[in-house]
Amino acid sequence: MMALLQSVPKLPIDNWVNGAISWIIGHFGGAFDVLNSVIEGVVSLLSFVLTAPPALLMIVLLTVIAFFLAGWRMAIFTVVGLLLVVSLGLWSDTMLTLALILAATTVCLAIGIPVGIVAAKSRRLEEVSLPILDLMQTMPAFVYLVPFVFLLGLGAGPALLATVIFATPPAVRLTMLGIQQVPRETVEAAHAFGATPMQTLFKVELPLSLSSIRAGVNQVIMLSLSMVVIAGLVGFEGLGKPVVTGLQQLNVGLAFEGGIGIVVLAIILDRVTRGIGRGGKTSKA
Amino acid sequence: MSEAQERTTQRQDNEREPIIRVEDCSVVFGRRAQQALEMRRSGKSKAEVERETGSTIGVLDANFEVWPSEIFVVIGLSGSGKSTLLRAINRLIEPTEGKIYLDGEYISEIPSKQLRQVRRKKIGMVFQHFGLLPNRTVLDNISFGLEIQGISAEKRRKSAEDTLDMVGLQGQGNKLITELSGGMQQRVGLARALATEQEILLMDEPFSALDPLIRRDMQNLFLDIQGEVKRTVVFVTHDLDEALRLGHRVAIMKDGEIVQLGTPEHILREPANEYVERFVEDVDYAKVRMAESVMVEPKEVAYTGEGPTVVLRRMRQAGLSHIFVVDRERHLVGLAEAEEVARLVERNERELGAAVDEDAPRVGRRTPLREVLPLFVDDGDAPVAVVDEGERLAGVIVRGSLIAGLTTSTEPSEEGGEDFSGVGNREPSEVGSGDAVERGRQG
Ligand SMILES: Nc1ncnc2c1ncn2[C@@H]1O[C@H](COP(=O)(O)OP(=O)(O)OP(=O)(O)O)[C@@H](O)[C@H]1O
Ligand SMILES: [Mg+2]
């Protein structure tokens, strides 16, 4: 039996992938360089904007936002949490990470929501996309991290791409779910009154799936945050950096400080993005 | 007003065109449509076809016409294809076969852009579960159809407000849909369809999700509105009472086929086959209002063997113009009129017998009111006897009790009179007419 199994020839998938990557680098290397500089440019512009005002002014601003979207408890948490970050000397790292998350989330949503809309309406695309989404979420990040580094070098480029791969699926899934959950008769009503497909989408389907899409946005941001350490591994400065350095130098304290920064940012972003949903509803009623 | 009327009559006379014409329309869900249709036509049942081809026949060879201002009701059990047939008319469901004309225009193959125009201008629709937008206010829901047509916000608001009044939702325009009860929501659904002023209205079980009292209200409201602006309505329901109440003509569906099409009277009196008969019995007699629901206790009765003088005296004391005559066991013998009895008294007769009309109308406890009404139309103010299974006198229906009975059926609406006028107005033209098409035109 064993002999029989051993006689099954090994498929050289590894060689194929390696070959493909060097072929891509050989032929499209230039394009990837451009992509990399675009990503670098956008992320550093964003972080420049975020770090340009004095830290205290930004904290006041973020606290006000937190107050309106998530209430006074969250406002207090924001003040205390961000002051802690400042005192740990992690302010600019935090803003850099925030910049990466904003950029990555934008890309995730720009891809995920339209794909989700189309997949909700096309059986075929739904069937094709579901296993791909599973793959994107279960494939260990390290596997695609290395080719990204080959293609894009170190820094924001591979960090953003890896984040996008890992964090896009909930945007697709929850948009699809939201649209499929719109009652059939409501969509029929739009058609019956002579709505074009675009009118149906923007006046009926999207508004009625908004809460589901909002949940998707929240999850995208949370998943992006969970990639911060991976971003640190590919040389992206930010809150991942102290964690990675701490682990390399067995400096648990340093890693812990980085961890605190990530948690503070995660809690603020989570509550605030959930608040956008609630805020929208209460302001209407 | 009279000018408008004249114009309508003229149009009806000149153009003998139906507003909706459906020819050989079939709808199959699933792949092997042609094969499924052939099997079904060659006599296999819907279930057999489903088992063998995996395709479901929604509608099979439907043929009918709807005339301007007619309320055309489609009725049948769940899964009989009512919704599918309705949706084939505005092509929400694409028919597999057959032709559909609206206002003489062949719409089965027009491109989607033109189809949208037809839907915007010609056919509105009301849904069972309302199909409203819960994120919008009442007014914004009502103006949805106008919004789709690209009409300015100002005009939209104005006509939405007008329509709001029409369905009795004054002052509720800025509420959110989720704040309204089911009945209110369907008023919004109705208003949304009315606001766009299309001449055809498709209604898919619009009142089925409402509880019975509210349903009555909505039927009255619908008849009221229909009385003002006459639209052509195709109305789907599974409630025979509703069908008989609203429909000028009724089509009964079974397994995708129209098994009978005619006026309510026609269907009640001459069920085309056993299925219709069962349908009419099962659904009808439980629900349609019956004689016993409007009968009252007779104030006095006369007994066979009593003398005319005694009876006349009793009638005068009770203020009766007629009296029913029964035997000792209360078996109904007949009806005596005061004048006749008085004549016997003058002639010094001992026996009441000569004054008793034994052919006076009598109905059973469970006779539908529809069959009771004509007795009053023909026969002035004589009361009608209601007898039980053993032909014993159970009660009487007099004009007053009939009207009172009909009006109490709409208790919740306060404006009960509508109910009677709704039925009463339509009844005489239905009696003896039998010709549905005629009626459609008159309506
Ligand atoms: N989209 C669809 N796909 C497949 N089969 C369908 C579809 N819509 C309806 N059918 C089938 O077509 C038949 C007719 O359905 P339809 O909805 O028209 O019935 P109905 O008379 O409106 O019933 P109900 O009173 O339950 O609304 C049923 O057998 C149903 O299962
Ligand atoms: Mg239906």
Side-chain angles (χ1 to χ4, degrees), chain A residues 185-186 188-197 199 203-204 207-208 284, chain B residues 87 92 116 119-120 127-135 144 147-148 192:
Chain A
E185 278 196 346
T186 311
E188 272 190 327
H191 292 154
F193 282 95
T196 62
Q199 283 176 321
K203 290 181 191 293
V204 177
L208 294 194
K284 258 223 167 124
Chain B
R87 280 163 175 72
L92 279 180
R116 279 199 290 275
R119 287 174 179 169
R120 287 176 187 187
F127 296 85
Q128 179 173 5
H129 301 290
F130 325 135
L132 299 170
L133 296 169
N135 57 327
F144 179 75
E147 184 181 332
I148 293 297
R192 177 176 65 182

Side-chain angles (χ1 to χ4, degrees), chain A:
Chain A
M1 191 63 198
M2 279 309 279
L4 199 70
L5 278 180
Q6 271 158 8
S7 73
V8 174
K10 158 127 187 21
L11 279 177
I13 292 183
D14 47 358
N15 290 340
W16 294 345
V17 172
N18 289 338
I21 288 184
S22 26
W23 186 84
I24 292 175
I25 293 176
H27 289 76
F28 299 101
F32 282 103
D33 286 346
V34 174
L35 179 64
N36 193 32
S37 12
V38 169
I39 296 175
E40 289 275 4
V42 169
V43 172
S44 44
L45 180 70
L46 270 174
S47 79
F48 173 77
V49 170
L50 289 171
T51 48
L56 279 183
L57 184 64
M58 276 304 282
I59 293 180
V60 170
L61 199 70
L62 292 174
T63 305
V64 170
I65 295 176
F67 175 74
F68 279 110
L69 291 175
W72 60 271
R73 282 167 205 267
M74 208 48 222
I76 292 175
F77 179 86
T78 307
V79 176
V80 175
L82 290 181
L83 285 177
L84 179 63
V85 165
V86 171
S87 90
L88 292 175
L90 293 173
W91 177 253
S92 63
D93 282 338
T94 306
M95 288 302 110
L96 192 56
T97 291
L98 184 57
L100 179 72
I101 286 169
L102 289 179
T105 303
T106 309
V107 176
C108 289
L109 298 182
I111 297 170
I113 292 179
V115 171
I117 290 171
V118 181
K121 299 178 175 227
S122 148
R123 241 296 166 42
R124 281 282 277 293
L125 185 64
E126 184 182 349
E127 279 166 6
V128 174
S129 64
L130 286 181
I132 296 180
L133 294 179
D134 290 339
L135 194 73
M136 286 163 74
Q137 285 192 299
T138 50
M139 178 73 85
F142 291 98
V143 175
Y144 47 83
L145 215 50
V146 177
F148 286 165
V149 172
F150 278 154
L151 293 170
L152 298 167
L154 289 175
L160 185 124
L161 277 198
T163 306
V164 164
I165 289 203
F166 186 63
T168 302
V172 179
R173 277 192 222 276
L174 284 158
T175 304
M176 193 160 79
L177 189 73
I179 288 190
Q180 285 172 343
Q181 274 174 349
V182 175
R184 201 176 77 113
E185 278 196 346
T186 311
V187 178
E188 272 190 327
H191 292 154
F193 282 95
T196 62
M198 280 296 149
Q199 283 176 321
T200 309
L201 182 64
F202 285 104
K203 290 181 191 293
V204 177
E205 290 171 319
L206 284 182
L208 294 194
S209 37
L210 216 53
S211 64
S212 178
I213 295 178
R214 265 193 220 113
V217 173
N218 177 271
Q219 287 207 17
V220 166
I221 291 176
M222 291 300 107
L223 289 188
S224 306
L225 260 167
S226 70
M227 292 294 279
V228 165
V229 175
I230 302 276
L233 276 180
V234 293
F236 181 76
E237 310 269 335
L239 288 173
K241 201 71 181 176
V243 177
V244 172
T245 321
L247 290 180
Q248 280 164 351
Q249 301 171 351
L250 293 182
N251 183 344
V252 180
L254 180 63
F256 192 72
E257 285 181 357
I260 288 179
I262 295 175
V263 169
V264 167
L265 194 57
I267 292 178
I268 296 175
L269 284 176
D270 180 47
R271 301 300 138 80
V272 166
T273 49
R274 279 191 211 189
I276 294 173
R278 265 192 317 236
K281 259 185 210 147
T282 43
S283 72
K284 258 223 167 124

Side-chain angles (χ1 to χ4, degrees), chain B residues 58 94 101 114 116 129 140 177 193 198 206 208 229 241 243 252 269 298 310 329 335 345 349 369 381 394 396 402 414:
Chain B
E94 215 49 80
Y101 300 85
Q114 233 172 307
R116 279 199 290 275
H129 301 290
D140 287 345
I177 291 301
Q198 294 109 328
S208 298
V229 190
D241 186 21
I252 301 191
R269 291 198 184 134
V310 183
E329 281 86 43
L335 178 69
V345 174
E349 299 266 354
L369 284 188
D381 57 354
V396 302
L402 178 63
E414 291 142 23

Side-chain angles (χ1 to χ4, degrees), chain A residues 184, chain B residues 29 46 50 56-58 76-85 128 204-205 238:
Chain A
R184 201 176 77 113
Chain B
F29 298 102
K46 180 174 153 167
E50 222 157 283
T56 306
I57 299 205
L77 299 176
S78 183
S80 58
K82 310 179 294 289
S83 301
T84 308
L85 181 62
Q128 179 173 5
D204 190 1
E205 307 208 23
H238 62 253

Side-chain angles (χ1 to χ4, degrees), chain B residues 29-154:
Chain B
F29 298 102
R31 299 248 160 103
R32 293 145 74 188
Q34 279 313 321
Q35 193 189 347
L37 282 175
E38 271 161 34
M39 284 173 67
R40 184 81 171 80
R41 285 185 188 125
S42 67
K44 297 222 166 149
S45 76
K46 180 174 153 167
E48 277 174 323
V49 172
E50 222 157 283
R51 210 176 315 117
E52 285 178 40
T53 65
S55 296
T56 306
I57 299 205
V59 174
L60 181 71
D61 297 328
N63 275 293
F64 63 92
E65 287 152 348
V66 184
W67 301 90
S69 310
E70 185 180 25
I71 301 178
F72 184 92
V73 175
V74 180
I75 187 169
L77 299 176
S78 183
S80 58
K82 310 179 294 289
S83 301
T84 308
L85 181 62
L86 191 75
R87 280 163 175 72
I89 295 175
N90 63 354
R91 283 178 57 190
L92 279 180
I93 293 177
E94 215 49 80
T96 312
E97 272 185 8
K99 297 177 177 169
I100 290 162
Y101 300 85
L102 293 183
D103 244 353
E105 186 191 359
Y106 179 56
I107 67 140
S108 298
E109 275 158 26
I110 57 175
S112 55
K113 199 172 163 194
Q114 233 172 307
L115 178 63
R116 279 199 290 275
Q117 284 309 319
V118 169
R119 287 174 179 169
R120 287 176 187 187
K121 302 292 179 200
K122 275 209 180 121
I123 333 172
M125 195 160 175
V126 181
F127 296 85
Q128 179 173 5
H129 301 290
F130 325 135
L132 299 170
L133 296 169
N135 57 327
R136 294 183 172 211
T137 63
V138 169
L139 275 179
D140 287 345
N141 264 284
I142 296 179
S143 55
F144 179 75
L146 301 167
E147 184 181 332
I148 293 297
Q149 299 179 16
I151 286 167
S152 74
E154 208 177 310

